[in-house]
Amino acid sequence: MSQTLAPGSLAGKTALVTGSSRGIGADTVRYLAEAGADVVINYRNKAPRAEKLATQLRDLGVRALVVEADLTDPDSVQAMFAEVEREFGRLDILVLNASGGMEAGMAEDYALRLNRDAQVSVLETALPLLGEGARVVFVTSHQAHFIRTTPTMPEYEPVALSKRAGEDALRERIPMLSERGVEFVVVSGDMIEGTITATLLERANPGAIASRRESAGRLYNVSEFAGEVARAAVDPIPDDNTRLVGDTASFAGE
């Protein structure tokens, strides 16, 4: 993985990435650590993977805290941030990366509870630790961000609608965040090759990835998109609080 942020540019900062034991979250937290940030690795059920990543990041000379938390459980979220406060005392970067809804065996409302309710819960619970100059990054997909104007695959529609609901709920809090000096940005990406979601979509709709790749010209991989998420934590905030990654020609405006 190549360095995406200037070495040392985040020295003295603390960053938490939800769902960061694997995939985009793991690569994002690695980029932030490579830039000098102390990091919090959050996971739900991948403890060995999270601990292995933490060991690798500590070798970079940063502190890495591993915290198990089910984001749909408010008590679990509260306990996570209590650990962050004990260990670091504050939080400078909060990346809301964890999402889902296509998993088998979950309740019918699970996508909405995770992609909307849990995102708001995590942000509001983190607020006391987010001081002036802190940055909140919400990670989503074009298929969710543009769902009101551009239909997506039926298999993904419930997830897309719930993620857009989460984005809307977070955007409603921008004025409150601004009053506290906390910045907010949405990072929306096209279909990302190598993610669990892409794999599940391909399984449900064979040829979906190849079709989207042909339409877009190219698709970002996990590491490339994670680099964009990491940069969103430090780059100037666009006027509309939205960083679009990858082709958007196939999507109508919001």
Side-chain angles (χ1 to χ4, degrees):
M1 184 185 298
S2 59
Q3 175 69 47
T4 187
L5 301 175
S9 60
L10 292 178
K13 303 290 188 182
T14 300
L16 184 154
V17 181
T18 61
S20 49
S21 67
R22 62 182 178 181
I24 292 167
D27 281 4
T28 299
V29 86
R30 186 185 298 276
Y31 282 131
L32 297 173
E34 287 177 346
D38 294 323
V39 296
V40 183
I41 300 167
N42 157 249
Y43 72 97
R44 184 168 64 94
N45 56 13
K46 300 289 181 184
R49 197 176 297 185
E51 293 290 354
K52 180 180 179 180
L53 176 60
T55 298
Q56 295 170 351
L57 300 188
R58 292 179 189 123
D59 288 342
L60 299 172
V62 303
R63 296 158 71 190
L65 174 66
V66 177
V67 186
E68 176 185 6
D70 178 351
L71 302 186
T72 64
D73 177 358
D75 291 340
S76 185
V77 171
Q78 191 73 52
M80 174 172 70
F81 285 109
E83 279 198 59
V84 174
E85 184 172 21
R86 281 193 297 269
E87 183 72 19
F88 298 117
R90 73 177 202 284
L91 194 59
D92 302 289
I93 298 168
L94 172 62
V95 180
L96 299 170
N97 164 74
S99 65
M102 294 188 69
E103 301 88 340
M106 294 296 188
E108 188 175 339
D109 66 344
Y110 178 70
L112 202 58
R113 288 195 296 117
L114 176 59
N115 297 330
R116 183 192 65 187
D117 302 345
Q119 306 303 315
V120 173
S121 170
V122 170
L123 174 60
E124 294 185 342
T125 308
L127 273 179
L129 300 178
L130 296 170
E132 187 168 354
R135 176 78 60 94
V136 178
V137 180
F138 175 68
V139 182
T140 189
S141 65
H142 291 350
Q143 289 75 17
H145 180 68
F146 293 103
I147 186 60
R148 292 202 189 95
T149 56
T150 306
T152 188
M153 288 171 278
E155 298 85 0
Y156 189 65
E157 186 173 3
V159 175
L161 289 169
S162 64
K163 284 185 69 65
R164 182 67 220 205
E167 178 181 338
D168 291 343
L170 293 169
R171 285 183 183 274
E172 289 174 2
R173 287 156 174 80
I174 290 176
M176 175 270 292
L177 293 173
S178 297
E179 285 182 6
R180 303 172 69 105
V182 177
E183 299 174 317
F184 175 82
V185 63
V186 170
V187 181
S188 177
D190 201 350
M191 192 180 290
I192 309 299
E193 298 210 55
T195 61
I196 294 172
T197 297
T199 300
L200 291 173
L201 284 172
E202 180 70 18
R203 190 176 301 161
N205 190 355
I209 294 175
S211 175
R212 182 61 201 147
R213 189 190 303 116
E214 182 178 353
S215 174
R218 66 162 293 219
L219 295 178
Y220 280 64
N221 62 33
V222 168
S223 178
E224 290 170 332
F225 183 64
E228 294 289 335
V229 175
R231 281 191 288 273
V234 299
D235 284 354
I237 301 282
D239 289 340
D240 61 353
N241 298 84
T242 309
R243 184 185 184 109
L244 299 173
V245 180
D247 177 70
T248 59
S250 301
F251 297 91
E254 291 181 73

